[in-house]
Each structure stands twice: as structure tokens, then as C-alpha cells.
Amino acid sequence: VNLQKSLQRLSSGSRINSSIDDAGGLAVSMKLSASIRRTEATQANVNNALSLLQTQDGVLKNADKILNRLSELAQLSTDVTKSTSDRALYQTEFSALTNAMDQLAAEEFNGVALFSAAATQIEVITSQDGAQSVGITLADLATIVGNIDGISISGASGATSSDIDTLVTAVQDLANLRATNGSDQSRLTFAADMLSINKVNLESANSRIADVDIASESANLARFNILQQAGTAMLAQANQSQQSVLRLLV
């Protein structure tokens, strides 16, 4: 029996192949294995949330380029050497870019809105027991877009000082959104790192309980083999002695 158990442990790599091998150890190993699987699932969720934030930042980066161009067009429209028709051309591009900003505000990631008019926070679970979470912000890009939608740079004097101030404020507000996004990404990255560390530690703890010690088990196998061979030899010798006695009696 011992020889068969040793062979089974070495072939499977597991010290516990049935509950009779170590009832308490099996129970602890099952709980640790479940924790490992939950940790892996939590890691996947955190990484998906990180991808959402990275996508959001990519959209905000494009929005920044558009706002810079809008500010430039507004400033160009105030040039006293420009005619009304020149300003009308500026307005055409300005309107097209504000429409592009509207489209950016409606972007989604896997069906989840990247932006919210109320700067909504969504909670991302960051621990396998569900006790810890990180709130990430669905940035309020719609308000920025709404503020610049009404600007017209095609008037007799081009953009007003108020229009330019609105665009300057929009750039600052967008910078704040990107800063918040970067902060959320940083927090999620640290959470993902902690999950990786926890997973390694759980796997190590489970390995000490469930995995076979190859060196020790190999020594046991050799010992059981010797004992079995010695027992077989002794039994064969005993049978041979009995047959010798029987031959003498005959």
C-alpha cells in the first residue's frame, strides 16, 4: 500500500490525492485554491478597468488636440486683417471640431460610457474577498463640450474675449480630467500589483500543503521498494525450504 501511495504521489506531483491522505490539509488546500481563483478573476477585472481608463485617456488626449486648435482658430479670428469671408471659413472648421468633441463625449468601452455629465464614480473591486475597492471617475466631458458649443467666431470682430476665456477654461478643465484619470490609473496599477503578490503568496502556501516533496518521496519509494524486494526474497526462500523438506520426506 505504501509503495502504491508513493508511486501515485510521484506520478501526480501531489501529496494529497484523496481525503484519506491528509483530511485537514485537503480542506485548507481547497480554500486556498478557491482564493487563488478569485484573485485571478479580480486581477482580470482590475486590468479591464485599467483598460477602460487608458481608453478614456486616449479620448481626452484627442479632445486636448481639438481644444488647442479651437483656441487657435478663435485667436486667429480676432485678426483685424481678416475679412468676414475669412472668419466664415474659420467658423466652418470651428463648427466641425465642436461636432467632433460631441462625438468624443459619447464614446464607450465595451458598451460602458467613458464619460458622464455628473462625473460619476464606479467602484472596482480590488481584493478577492470583495472588502476593498477603488472608485474610478467617468469624467464630465459633456459640460466642457456644452460650454464651447455656443461659441461663434464669425462675427465682425471674430471671437470675443469672453469666448477666448471660455476656451482657456475648457483647456484647464480638460487638464484636470486627465490628471484625475492618471491618478485613477495609478491606484489601479498598485491594486493590480498587490493582487499579483497575494496570488504568489497563496500559491506558495498551497504548494507547501498539497505538492509532493520529490526528494523525500523518492527516498520513501526506494525504501518501500527495498522492503518489498526483501519480503519477496524471504518468502521465496521460505517456500524453497518447504519444498526441500518435502523432497526429503518423499
Side-chain angles (χ1 to χ4, degrees):
V1 175
N2 287 332
L3 180 61
Q4 291 300 320
K5 282 187 176 180
S6 186
L7 283 169
Q8 186 180 25
R9 287 170 178 169
L10 286 171
S11 61
S12 66
S14 176
R15 187 180 68 85
I16 306 173
N17 291 291
S18 65
S19 58
I20 195 173
D21 292 335
D22 184 351
L26 177 64
V28 174
S29 178
M30 289 176 63
K31 290 191 292 183
L32 287 174
S33 295
S35 295
I36 291 169
R37 295 295 296 274
R38 289 196 301 272
T39 300
E40 289 173 344
T42 306
Q43 272 185 296
N45 292 344
V46 169
N47 286 331
N48 287 338
L50 193 55
S51 294
L52 182 146
L53 287 176
Q54 289 167 346
T55 304
Q56 184 190 82
D57 185 53
V59 175
L60 292 175
K61 186 176 181 180
N62 283 334
D64 178 48
K65 293 178 182 178
I66 292 174
L67 274 180
N68 285 336
R69 179 56 178 165
L70 290 174
S71 298
E72 182 182 8
L73 289 171
Q75 199 66 44
L76 288 170
S77 72
T78 62
D79 185 353
V80 295
T81 67
K82 296 298 189 299
S83 65
T84 302
S85 59
D86 291 334
R87 293 189 180 93
L89 293 175
Y90 287 146
Q91 180 63 50
T92 299
E93 184 182 354
F94 194 95
S95 298
L97 291 177
T98 53
N99 288 336
M101 287 287 288
D102 285 330
Q103 293 173 358
L104 292 180
E107 286 290 330
E108 297 180 346
F109 178 84
N110 193 37
V112 177
L114 292 175
F115 306 101
S116 170
T120 305
Q121 276 209 338
I122 55 178
E123 296 296 317
V124 180
I125 302 300
T126 57
S127 62
Q128 57 88 15
D129 59 0
Q132 299 178 24
S133 64
V134 168
I136 63 174
T137 305
L138 298 180
D140 184 5
L141 184 58
T143 297
I144 295 176
V145 174
N147 289 338
I148 65 174
D149 269 345
I151 295 177
S152 173
I153 61 174
S154 60
S157 301
T160 65
S161 59
S162 176
D163 293 333
I164 293 175
D165 286 343
T166 298
L167 288 167
V168 170
T169 301
V171 171
Q172 179 59 56
D173 290 342
L174 187 62
N176 293 339
L177 294 186
R178 293 199 69 186
T180 300
N181 176 281
S183 174
D184 288 346
Q185 284 195 56
S186 180
R187 294 171 66 197
L188 282 184
T189 299
F190 285 125
D193 290 344
M194 282 305 304
L195 285 168
S196 295
I197 293 170
N198 290 340
K199 179 187 173 186
V200 170
N201 291 332
L202 287 169
E203 288 174 338
S204 296
N206 191 39
S207 177
R208 284 190 290 271
I209 295 171
D211 291 349
V212 67
D213 183 337
I214 299 296
S216 175
E217 203 59 50
S218 296
N220 287 336
L221 179 63
R223 182 165 62 89
F224 294 143
N225 262 323
I226 292 171
L227 289 174
Q228 185 184 52
Q229 291 170 8
T232 302
M234 291 176 63
L235 181 60
Q237 188 174 3
N239 288 338
Q240 188 175 7
S241 298
Q242 289 177 359
Q243 291 173 2
S244 298
V245 172
L246 287 173
R247 280 197 297 270
L248 287 173
L249 291 175
V250 174

